[in-house]
Amino acid sequence: MRFDPREMYRWCMAPPRALRGGIDWEGRGPDRALSKLTEALVSLGGTLMLNSQATDLVMENKHCIGVRGKVAGKETVWGARNCVIADGGFQSDRELVERHIAPDFDALFQRGAGTSRGDGLKMAVAAGASLTDMNRFYGHLLCADARFNDGLWPFPQLDAVATAGIVINGDGARVADEGRSGVYLTNALASVPADRGLFAIFDSAIWQGPGKSDRVSPNPWIEKAGGTVYRADTLEALAQLIGAPPAELTRTVDQYHRAMHAGTLRELPVPRSEKIKPCRIEAAPYMAISLIPGITYTMGGIAIDEAARVLGKDGRPIPGLFAAGASTGGIEGGNAAGYIGGLIKAGTFGLIAAEHAAERLDKRAPTIESQGASTGMKMHSPSTLSAPPKPQGLDRYPLIRATLRHGQRAAYAIGATAFVSSASLAWNSLGFASLLIATACAVALSFAILSYTELLRFITELLMPE
């Protein structure tokens, strides 16, 4: 279904999360999808082993032939001609995060399950795999109160107000480019010393505009969930509330405004891009929220090729070893911390890995031509079959389709009919006054039908983006 009016949310898993902050995954789209995938795996003869841990890849002559691990604490070896690493990145491993992502692991907030510790990546490296750049991650800015308030993560996120306004440290100085993207800003702030705090500084205009732009938006969900939003009538008073030097915060905002007016934001001591429109901070009350970078998954990882095969340090595939999802790198990240979507990467390369593993086992799904050759029967391609196609989209709902297609014309026609009928019936007794009554009836009836049609169109476009 459509999760949000914005194009990037045109196709999302249903049902979506509720319109509120905090953890909300049980019974939602991703949870149901995993349940369905588990049912499909088991129904096809597969085994899902819980309470288990893989520890090493079994290698023989530079081929991966299985996995060592533990099941309920007992050492186990699984032999396999193909292994797929898909354990979701290294964002919860202190040593790897501090080596590649941020100097202080504790300055980041785990915005996911907290179970991805890079085990697959470590096993792949031990087997001779090469890695991509490892210094970027996908995440969003959160209210720092999320450390002790589960109602403030993984949503609402604060990217919208932080990128519209400015981000300062406890000394009142800007520390990062707010104008590229929320994911970029989150990455940049992960490397900023935050011993005295990080704050988004904005005003009431930003709070009422970008602050309400997300589906689970900062305004009003931060405060509804118990988060702290600082407000003051002057910048000096706001600085005192957050513990920053009043003179420095005032100087920072004045310098920012002068650069906006002169068109020299890129020449500031900390340059500001304008991919996201900067806003002035001048409409009292002035506002601030304490920030913490939230990390969801890492963008760098195991190097793979277009067939999801793990590449060795010589650039050649390691036979029998595949990887998919956030365990891998090379597609996202870079200077802009480019993000394409974790589910897209996982789903696409998970399928690709499965297809190529099946090829190695010679268990590819048979084609129509190969079925015909093996049975001696004449096979037909799907395009030549005579069975009628199943209705799709609005074809399944002819009344809704007709209303959307003809509702506007019907409203005008019914309104005109109502006018003529009302005027004719009342003319003999009311004369010209009947025209006023007929006009009012016609307008009211047409407006009601048009409103119903528009409401139906809105709901349909939300639930059926096609």
Side-chain angles (χ1 to χ4, degrees):
M1 65 173 288
R2 192 167 194 151
F3 183 81
D4 186 280
R6 290 170 293 177
E7 185 64 24
M8 65 184 292
Y9 294 112
R10 188 175 182 87
W11 298 102
C12 295
M13 289 185 174
R17 62 169 291 117
L19 275 173
R20 58 179 172 80
I23 302 170
D24 181 35
W25 60 268
E26 291 186 87
R28 302 300 179 183
D31 184 33
R32 290 193 180 183
L34 289 174
S35 297
K36 291 293 185 182
L37 290 171
T38 300
E39 292 173 8
L41 172 70
V42 173
S43 68
L44 293 171
T47 302
L48 180 64
M49 305 193 71
L50 303 178
N51 195 25
S52 306
Q53 180 185 13
T55 56
D56 300 283
L57 297 173
V58 180
M59 304 296 294
E60 184 178 275
N61 297 324
K62 298 184 179 181
H63 286 59
C64 182
I65 60 170
V67 179
R68 292 188 186 90
K70 297 178 180 179
V71 178
K74 182 180 179 181
E75 296 286 344
T76 307
V77 177
W78 297 274
R81 288 178 58 185
N82 299 289
C83 296
V84 182
I85 297 173
D87 65 334
F90 61 89
Q91 58 271 12
S92 300
D93 184 271
R94 177 181 294 272
E95 191 274 329
L96 286 176
V97 167
E98 292 186 347
R99 184 194 309 173
H100 299 289
I101 298 291
D104 183 3
F105 178 82
D106 294 323
L108 301 179
F109 185 89
Q110 294 295 318
R111 196 169 167 266
T115 55
S116 296
R117 298 182 174 87
D119 292 343
L121 183 145
K122 296 171 188 175
M123 289 188 286
V125 170
S130 62
L131 302 178
T132 67
D133 290 339
M134 304 273 282
N135 63 336
R136 294 297 192 187
F137 66 90
Y138 166 64
H140 291 287
L141 296 174
L142 302 174
C143 176
D145 295 347
R147 290 183 181 277
F148 51 83
N149 184 343
D150 285 344
L152 293 169
W153 73 277
F155 296 98
Q157 61 197 40
L158 292 167
D159 299 23
V161 294
T163 55
I166 61 174
V167 175
I168 65 165
N169 59 15
D171 296 323
R174 288 181 58 248
V175 291
D177 182 351
E178 303 94 347
R180 300 183 72 172
S181 73
V183 175
Y184 174 87
L185 181 57
T186 305
N187 274 259
L189 295 180
S191 300
V192 173
D195 52 310
R196 293 194 56 203
L198 296 167
F199 300 89
I201 304 296
F202 52 99
D203 66 1
S204 59
I206 293 174
W207 189 238
Q208 295 299 328
K212 290 186 173 181
S213 61
D214 287 334
R215 188 171 186 270
V216 183
S217 58
N219 181 9
W221 293 106
I222 289 289
E223 290 176 296
K224 280 192 173 185
T228 303
V229 179
Y230 299 95
R231 290 178 174 83
D233 291 332
T234 66
L235 286 172
E236 292 83 359
L238 183 67
Q240 291 177 342
L241 286 177
I242 65 176
E248 182 62 22
L249 176 58
T250 301
R251 187 196 69 80
T252 296
V253 174
D254 287 345
Q255 183 185 51
Y256 176 70
H257 284 165
R258 288 196 301 272
M260 283 183 64
H261 181 74
T264 57
L265 285 170
R266 292 181 181 273
E267 299 174 19
L268 287 169
V270 178
R272 157 88 193 210
S273 304
E274 296 184 65
K275 181 179 178 181
I276 297 176
K277 181 182 178 181
C279 298
R280 295 181 67 85
I281 304 168
E282 58 187 6
Y286 300 96
M287 306 172 75
I289 299 177
S290 180
L291 301 175
I292 187 170
I295 183 169
T296 309
Y297 70 81
T298 46
M299 292 180 172
I302 302 167
I304 59 173
D305 64 7
E306 71 281 358
R309 299 176 296 184
V310 173
L311 300 177
K313 291 182 172 58
D314 59 0
R316 297 178 179 177
I318 297 175
L321 187 57
F322 298 83
S327 300
T328 68
I331 296 179
E332 301 177 290
N335 291 334
Y339 164 66
I340 64 168
L343 285 176
I344 291 175
K345 189 166 69 169
T348 300
F349 282 94
L351 287 171
I352 290 173
E355 290 170 354
H356 285 275
E359 286 183 1
R360 295 189 77 244
L361 296 173
D362 196 24
K363 290 186 177 181
R364 291 169 291 179
T367 63
I368 291 174
E369 290 77 9
S370 64
Q371 289 182 43
S374 62
T375 61
M377 298 172 60
K378 182 177 181 180
M379 305 298 291
H380 298 275
S381 67
S383 61
T384 63
L385 297 177
S386 58
K390 293 183 179 180
Q392 298 293 324
L394 283 178
D395 289 340
R396 293 173 291 171
Y397 310 103
L399 291 179
I400 295 177
R401 182 183 60 185
T403 301
L404 294 176
R405 184 172 297 173
H406 305 297
Q408 188 176 42
R409 289 191 291 271
Y412 295 142
I414 293 173
T417 302
F419 175 82
V420 173
S421 300
S422 300
S424 300
L425 292 172
W427 178 262
N428 290 334
S429 57
L430 299 176
F432 283 103
S434 65
L435 298 180
L436 296 176
I437 297 174
T439 300
C441 291
V443 170
L445 189 57
S446 297
F447 181 79
I449 296 173
L450 288 172
S451 298
Y452 173 78
T453 302
E454 288 302 305
L455 178 61
L456 188 61
R457 187 183 307 279
F458 171 76
I459 294 173
T460 304
E461 288 183 355
L462 186 67
L463 299 179
M464 302 174 65
E466 73 274 17

